[in-house]
Amino acid sequence: MAGNTITKPSDLSCTPSRAARELGLKRGEFDLAVHLGRIRTVPDEGGRGRRVARAEIDRLRSADGFPDTLLESVRTVGTTGGAALMEVTSARFTRLARLGLVVPVKFYLNRYRAVVWLYLAEELRQFAADKNHTALLNGRTPEGMRDQLQEGLDLRPRNWRGRHLGFLLRQAGDPWEHAGALAALLDTVQVAEIVQDPYERAYLNRFWPDPPAHGAPGSPAAHLAERIMTAEDPDEISWLRADLTQVLVEARSHRPAPRPTAELTALRPTAELAAPRPIAEPAASRTTVQPVGPRPIPEPVGPPPSLSEHPPEQAPDPARSRGMLGWLRRRSA
């Protein structure tokens, strides 16, 4: 009957893979759309990542120009494609990117382990269409910018970290997840200096997001991706440390990090914790403390029965053995 129909939570949302198929996106395009906030996700009640609500899929499918508009909003280009889109040379485009005027949205490592930065085509078109940027696109690079480039300035990794941090903060559900997102951009030594309590560090590790997957764990490619993920500029490190310190204050007041004593209190009654019972040692491990002084000489006893001939449960009675021996002697006399 229609009145007895039960709607399951899984019917109201779907997995990212299914959502990508229904929206006509490749998985990489779908992930980028989520990072950019174009597709909203919800936490999975089963704790297995995130899901996409059915209402969100319906909203995107009913938008004007679907699916072309959605596909174009997540289209990315590299240096060559970006230069062609902005009608400049690849060298000029690279200078603009190193100066931070155009911001990469993702990266990958090619087979030579070189970093390939990708940019949103939509943002590059907007930059080129702005008349305030005409001199940067067609004229000579200002002297101050040239000096920065000669000194080795390259803001691409930092600008990517800023975008990635924004995505992590949008996904954060409470102050501890917020703190984990900030800690993910700092070196572990920096985090240890700020979070000196080992129990808090262990708890913070639960909310530490994984770096973008590039190569097998421990491989050179993975190490390179981790280095890009870690802040290097002193001013960037300074404000990350300040934000993490402030967020930790909120996280502690929101929910203190669990400790062994707190867990023990939750598992045992209070009276039992006040007077804990001694732990009984196994019989084989007990030792008897002998009093100081000469040991008493034991009374002589007969030789023990051989265990190989007489098992313990069949050992003869010593008194009965002496009685039988006397009877045989008297009979022989």
Side-chain angles (χ1 to χ4, degrees), residues 173-178 200 203-204 206-207 247-258:
D174 64 5
W176 280 108
E177 294 183 3
H178 191 161
E200 287 188 345
Y203 192 55
L204 182 63
R206 301 182 186 181
F207 307 98
V247 172
L248 281 174
V249 175
E250 301 175 7
R252 293 184 185 109
S253 61
H254 174 72
R255 183 177 62 252

Side-chain angles (χ1 to χ4, degrees), residues 11-323:
D11 297 335
L12 301 177
S13 62
C14 60
T15 62
S17 299
R18 181 175 176 180
R21 290 194 302 268
E22 295 193 16
L23 294 174
L25 298 174
K26 298 178 182 179
R27 185 54 191 267
E29 296 171 339
F30 174 85
D31 292 340
L32 180 57
V34 173
H35 286 201
L36 296 173
R38 311 287 169 81
I39 300 177
R40 297 188 293 264
T41 60
V42 294
D44 188 354
E45 295 181 357
R48 296 184 297 271
R50 303 186 68 86
R51 298 175 67 90
V52 182
R54 177 60 57 181
E56 177 69 4
I57 296 178
D58 295 339
R59 180 187 71 84
L60 294 170
R61 291 175 65 91
S62 62
D64 295 338
F66 177 84
D68 296 337
T69 304
L70 181 60
L71 286 170
E72 187 61 27
S73 67
V74 295
R75 186 167 75 89
T76 59
V77 293
T79 299
T80 303
L85 192 63
M86 297 175 65
E87 298 182 354
V88 296
T89 63
S90 298
R92 182 180 289 268
F93 181 88
T94 301
R95 290 196 296 269
L96 295 175
R98 289 178 57 187
L99 290 168
L101 299 176
V102 291
V103 180
V105 71
K106 61 189 301 186
F107 71 92
Y108 70 91
L109 306 178
N110 61 15
R111 60 180 178 177
Y112 305 108
R113 295 197 201 122
V115 181
V116 179
W117 298 100
L118 298 176
Y119 307 83
L120 281 176
E122 183 180 46
E123 291 182 353
L124 297 183
R125 281 195 298 267
Q126 294 174 358
F127 185 90
D130 192 341
K131 295 183 178 180
N132 295 325
H133 300 152
T134 302
L136 294 172
L137 296 175
N138 302 322
R140 183 177 176 84
T141 303
E143 183 177 357
M145 293 182 177
R146 290 201 308 270
D147 295 340
Q148 290 178 321
L149 292 173
Q150 291 177 359
E151 293 174 358
L153 177 67
D154 190 353
L155 295 178
R156 289 175 294 183
R158 176 172 178 171
N159 286 339
W160 175 84
R161 285 192 294 269
R163 300 193 80 150
H164 189 66
L165 178 61
F167 158 69
L168 295 177
L169 294 180
R170 283 195 299 270
Q171 299 292 321
D174 64 5
W176 280 108
E177 294 183 3
H178 191 161
L182 293 169
L185 301 185
L186 287 170
D187 185 80
T188 54
V189 176
Q190 302 278 348
V191 177
E193 291 178 357
I194 300 172
V195 191
Q196 299 183 2
D197 189 332
Y199 297 111
E200 287 188 345
R201 284 202 305 272
Y203 192 55
L204 182 63
N205 286 339
R206 301 182 186 181
F207 307 98
W208 201 305
D210 296 329
H214 291 281
S219 64
H223 286 306
L224 180 57
E226 185 178 355
R227 191 174 66 186
I228 294 176
M229 183 83 174
T230 306
E232 296 180 349
D233 300 332
D235 58 334
E236 182 185 9
I237 294 174
S238 178
W239 72 259
L240 282 172
R241 287 173 61 101
D243 283 1
L244 179 58
T245 302
Q246 180 180 356
V247 172
L248 281 174
V249 175
E250 301 175 7
R252 293 184 185 109
S253 61
H254 174 72
R255 183 177 62 252
R259 299 174 181 275
T261 53
E263 295 177 357
L264 192 60
T265 304
L267 294 175
R268 293 186 179 181
T270 305
E272 185 178 356
L273 286 176
R277 293 177 298 179
I279 301 175
E281 297 180 2
S285 63
R286 296 176 187 169
T287 57
T288 303
V289 179
Q290 298 291 344
V292 178
R295 297 183 180 180
I297 301 176
E299 297 181 2
V301 295
S306 175
L307 296 179
S308 60
E309 297 179 0
H310 302 281
E313 62 273 10
Q314 298 179 0
D317 186 3
R320 184 179 178 184
S321 299
R322 290 195 297 269

